Amino acid sequence: MSEDKMQADDATRVASVVDDRDDEFKWHTGKQLPTGVQDAIEFVDVHKAFGRNKILRGLNMGIPEDKISMILGPSGTGKSVCIKHMVGLLYPDQGDIIVHGKSVPMMHDDELFDMRKKFGVLFQDGALFGSMNLLDNVAFPLRQHTDKGEEEVMEIVNRRLAEVGLTNAGDKMPNELSGGMRKRAGFARALVLDPDIVLFDEPDSGLDPVRTALLCELIQEIHEENGGAYVVITHDIMSARRVAEHISVLWKGRIVESGPAEQLFNSDNAFVRQFLAGDSQGPLGME
Amino acid sequence: MEWLTVPREWLTSAGEIAKFCGKILGQVYSLKVFRFFGETLRQSGILIVSSTIVIWGLVFIIGLQCGTEGAYFSRSVGAPSQAGVFAAWCDLRELVPYAFGYMMAAKVGTGIVAELGSMRISDEIDALEVMGIDSVLFLCATRLLASWLVLPFVYLAAIGAGFFASYLAVVQQVGDVSSGGYFLVFWMFQNPPDLVYSLIKGMVMATVVVLVGCYYGYNASGGPVGVGTATAKSMVLNIVMVHLIGMLGTQVFWGANPRAPIGG
Ligand SMILES: Nc1ncnc2c1ncn2[C@@H]1O[C@H](COP(=O)(O)OP(=O)(O)OP(=O)(O)O)[C@@H](O)[C@H]1O
Ligand SMILES: [Mg+2]
């Protein structure tokens, strides 16, 4: 390759990078409107790539204590990846995640396992143990981490299953259930230890509208009862309007805007408005 | 250095496997695994119910074969009364360990890969971790301990099945030698250390098969197809390892000294 050509190449590459940045993050004001409370979880300039696929690109995000927070964003932007960073299942390439003042990536294994005990996590696909029936699935955390007797365990489990409408499905195996039922069982399992921090990855996907509404109410009720930082990922704007107290809008690995729910619903950011209104016209296309 | 990439990949993955297996072994030796003794017992039960019969069946069939061939060969060299040598050596030293190793790889090893692999791709392992449970300890170390608890007995019984089959073939089927004559030679050509050596061979094979299965299952990725690929890979590695262990075992235990009343 000739010298000239190489220089030309370099020049265009630099130009395209600059260009890129201008375009890509045009709507990312990164504004974090004040919430008035401390953050339970904090992302500090987090970068994460899978091979060449850059998912998180300088994510700065705060999840306020004692509120129901929602993370909204287009499919495939890395919301689930985000959740996995909070519990130390994935490690950032760069940056830090701080939970209750402690850096998650810096923890030893033992610390990490201890810290995870205050989390309740619902994975996107439920992640029920395929070799156990629903009762055992929901009872599993109780049996592992508490000294409760079998009777007490069963009482708690049955109460939790009743809350999500699975009273009669306790002896079914996960593969005998519908996707929505698995979701609800996973929901019950995530809450069975009354965790301080709760992470729900799309608790409402795969549910009918009525069940979604009921689930939202349930989330609110349980939150009122127990308190704690709840993080809910959803695509459902209706749910967001109903339960969200704090909203973070994630796109292309960064926060577009975050803050108290009412303020975000009235945001003047074009992307946030399009997304929260579910509009086809605006900065977000199919690409 | 293009041609070096493939061996280099092998080396890295060998290193990774060794590290992972070392972790599991460490968890069993440090007795951490007893935190999940209930799960260990459950795995032991599964092993007994699902794998013993096939192992004994295979060993029995091979014992019949070995007996038949031994009987006719010893007849052909004019020493039909020596048929017991075949049962004593061939069964105990080679065929029982191999048959056991093959069945371990085919039934237990692939079973572990498929089970752990599907747990991995459906986020179940992540869910375990998030509940504050060390998933390697809970899933892999318990399986290894379970196999150590159960398999020695399965193996000894398998030797019994092989011997019984050879006896049937030599004495009852071919019938060149009397029962008493058969056993005289049979017992002359083995002694207790041989049994221990054979047991060591089998247990090393079992350990390797379980560890390899755990590695490929636990680290599976790429959806259901990935689990299938991992299962196939583990089977290849396990068969190679079973043969290596068989060969090395024979060399080390009997290579320098056949431990037999031959010659001087
Ligand atoms: N373990 C992994 N290995 C490689 N790539 C991954 C892995 N996990 C996630 N990704 C990639 O990261 C990107 C973001 O995935 P993620 O699951 O976080 O999306 P999401 O925002 O949760 O989307 P959805 O709303 O559809 O669930 C995707 O492009 C995905 O391909
Ligand atoms: Mg997701």
Side-chain angles (χ1 to χ4, degrees):
Chain A
M1 215 188 278
S2 76
E3 193 104 326
D4 288 357
K5 181 112 184 300
M6 248 154 79
Q7 268 171 1
D9 259 19
D10 274 354
T12 48
R13 197 158 65 228
V14 168
S16 77
V17 165
V18 171
D19 243 57
D20 229 76
R21 194 161 284 158
D22 276 0
D23 261 337
E24 257 193 325
F25 295 124
K26 188 158 62 180
W27 306 102
H28 291 68
T29 55
K31 237 195 295 185
Q32 299 193 24
L33 303 170
T35 54
V37 292
Q38 266 202 321
D39 285 342
I41 305 172
E42 228 178 311
F43 280 71
V44 185
D45 195 33
V46 174
H47 289 257
K48 177 74 184 178
F50 293 106
R52 293 229 187 105
N53 195 1
K54 290 188 188 133
I55 309 299
L56 302 181
R57 297 190 279 177
L59 176 65
N60 285 294
M61 177 170 76
I63 303 291
E65 189 68 86
D66 254 341
K67 288 202 187 315
I68 303 181
S69 311
M70 289 215 165
I71 302 178
L72 301 173
S75 187
T77 31
K79 301 183 297 295
S80 302
V81 169
C82 236
I83 278 203
K84 290 189 175 167
H85 277 86
M86 296 179 196
V87 285
L89 286 175
L90 288 175
Y91 288 93
D93 299 335
Q94 199 186 313
D96 203 358
I97 295 107
I98 296 165
V99 173
H100 285 163
K102 279 198 185 153
S103 161
V104 177
M106 304 292 276
M107 284 181 186
H108 301 296
D109 275 3
D110 292 338
E111 273 181 287
L112 194 60
F113 285 125
D114 258 356
M115 181 216 54
R116 283 172 178 161
K117 285 177 196 161
K118 57 184 174 194
F119 275 90
V121 182
L122 167 63
F123 283 90
Q124 191 156 0
D125 304 310
L128 298 179
F129 301 125
S131 56
M132 303 177 196
N133 66 17
L134 279 199
L135 282 177
D136 290 335
N137 256 293
V138 179
F140 187 84
L142 286 170
R143 288 184 183 145
Q144 293 298 336
H145 291 314
T146 67
D147 313 321
K148 292 188 166 63
E150 196 54 27
E151 252 171 58
E152 200 181 342
V153 167
M154 275 305 139
E155 187 211 305
I156 298 175
V157 168
N158 282 319
R159 181 157 50 85
R160 287 293 180 203
L161 281 178
E163 277 174 351
V164 292
L166 289 171
T167 317
N168 296 320
D171 53 356
K172 292 229 168 71
M173 299 302 275
N175 62 358
E176 299 171 312
L177 300 175
S178 75
M181 288 163 91
R182 280 202 286 270
K183 256 304 164 39
R184 284 183 278 152
F187 184 91
R189 190 179 66 181
L191 287 172
V192 79
L193 283 178
D194 298 328
D196 294 338
I197 304 178
V198 177
L199 312 175
F200 291 135
D201 198 345
E202 305 194 12
D204 48 11
S205 70
L207 295 187
D208 54 87
V210 177
R211 289 258 168 61
T212 306
L214 288 172
L215 193 77
C216 287
E217 270 177 29
L218 186 62
I219 292 179
Q220 271 175 321
E221 266 170 39
I222 296 175
H223 182 253
E224 244 163 58
E225 224 173 274
N226 297 338
Y230 279 39
V231 182
V232 184
I233 291 179
T234 184
H235 287 295
D236 189 31
I237 304 303
M238 284 297 284
S239 317
R241 279 194 191 280
R242 270 199 210 106
V243 299
E245 296 171 322
H246 181 271
I247 291 181
S248 307
V249 180
L250 187 68
W251 186 32
K252 297 193 170 170
R254 285 194 194 176
I255 289 297
V256 182
E257 222 175 275
S258 68
E262 323 81 68
Q263 291 181 39
L264 272 218
F265 276 110
N266 299 319
S267 168
D268 45 17
N269 185 312
F271 177 84
V272 175
R273 281 196 12 205
Q274 181 202 0
F275 200 78
L276 294 187
D279 220 337
S280 61
Q281 300 298 313
L284 178 63
M286 219 19 149
E287 75 248 34
Chain B
M1 293 297 200
E2 282 289 313
W3 56 275
L4 268 178
T5 45
V6 171
R8 200 179 294 140
E9 270 167 28
W10 283 358
L11 271 185
T12 18
S13 67
E16 260 172 46
I17 296 177
K19 209 170 125 202
F20 186 81
C21 298
K23 186 173 174 187
I24 300 176
L25 285 169
Q27 287 176 335
V28 176
Y29 278 121
S30 68
L31 306 184
K32 257 190 183 171
V33 62
F34 283 93
R35 207 179 303 162
F36 298 117
F37 196 61
E39 175 69 12
T40 305
L41 289 182
R42 201 177 73 87
Q43 293 298 338
S44 307
I46 294 174
L47 212 52
I48 293 172
V49 171
S50 67
S51 301
T52 40
I53 300 293
V54 271
I55 290 174
W56 292 342
L58 184 67
V59 172
F60 183 83
I61 292 169
I62 288 192
L64 279 180
Q65 234 171 308
C66 189
T68 314
E69 278 162 21
Y72 285 122
F73 177 76
S74 51
R75 178 198 281 177
S76 78
V77 295
S81 63
Q82 299 298 313
V85 177
F86 280 81
W89 279 25
C90 181
D91 282 2
L92 183 65
R93 298 184 179 188
E94 304 301 332
L95 292 182
V96 176
Y98 277 131
F100 178 78
Y102 294 152
M103 231 1 138
M104 281 298 296
K107 182 83 178 41
V108 179
T110 53
I112 292 176
V113 180
E115 211 179 329
L116 297 191
S118 68
M119 286 186 79
R120 166 62 73 197
I121 62 169
S122 61
D123 281 343
E124 285 174 49
I125 295 185
D126 282 352
L128 263 183
E129 286 276 319
V130 164
M131 289 178 197
I133 288 169
D134 184 340
S135 57
V136 176
L137 187 62
F138 185 78
L139 296 172
C140 303
T142 53
R143 280 174 166 77
L144 184 62
L145 181 61
S147 68
W148 283 353
L149 289 181
V150 168
L151 292 178
F153 301 102
V154 175
Y155 187 81
L156 291 176
I159 292 176
F163 281 168
F164 178 58
S166 292
Y167 168 82
L168 281 184
V170 175
V171 180
Q172 305 295 331
Q173 184 195 334
V174 180
D176 282 350
V177 58
S178 72
S179 183
Y182 171 81
F183 278 122
L184 178 69
V185 175
F186 177 76
W187 291 120
M188 207 155 73
F189 275 79
Q190 62 179 310
N191 38 26
D194 288 342
L195 182 69
V196 174
Y197 293 155
S198 171
L199 181 65
I200 291 175
K201 247 185 168 183
M203 286 310 106
V204 174
M205 285 176 184
T207 305
V208 166
V209 167
V210 170
L211 287 175
V212 166
C214 285
Y215 173 80
Y216 279 100
Y218 189 87
N219 296 299
S221 65
V225 181
V227 177
T229 322
T231 311
K233 275 190 193 162
S234 77
M235 187 70 191
V236 171
L237 182 55
N238 271 334
I239 293 292
V240 171
M241 290 305 290
V242 162
H243 283 117
L244 270 180
I245 294 164
M247 183 270 286
L248 281 177
T250 302
Q251 290 290 345
V252 170
F253 296 141
W254 298 292
N257 173 5
R259 307 173 51 76
I262 302 178

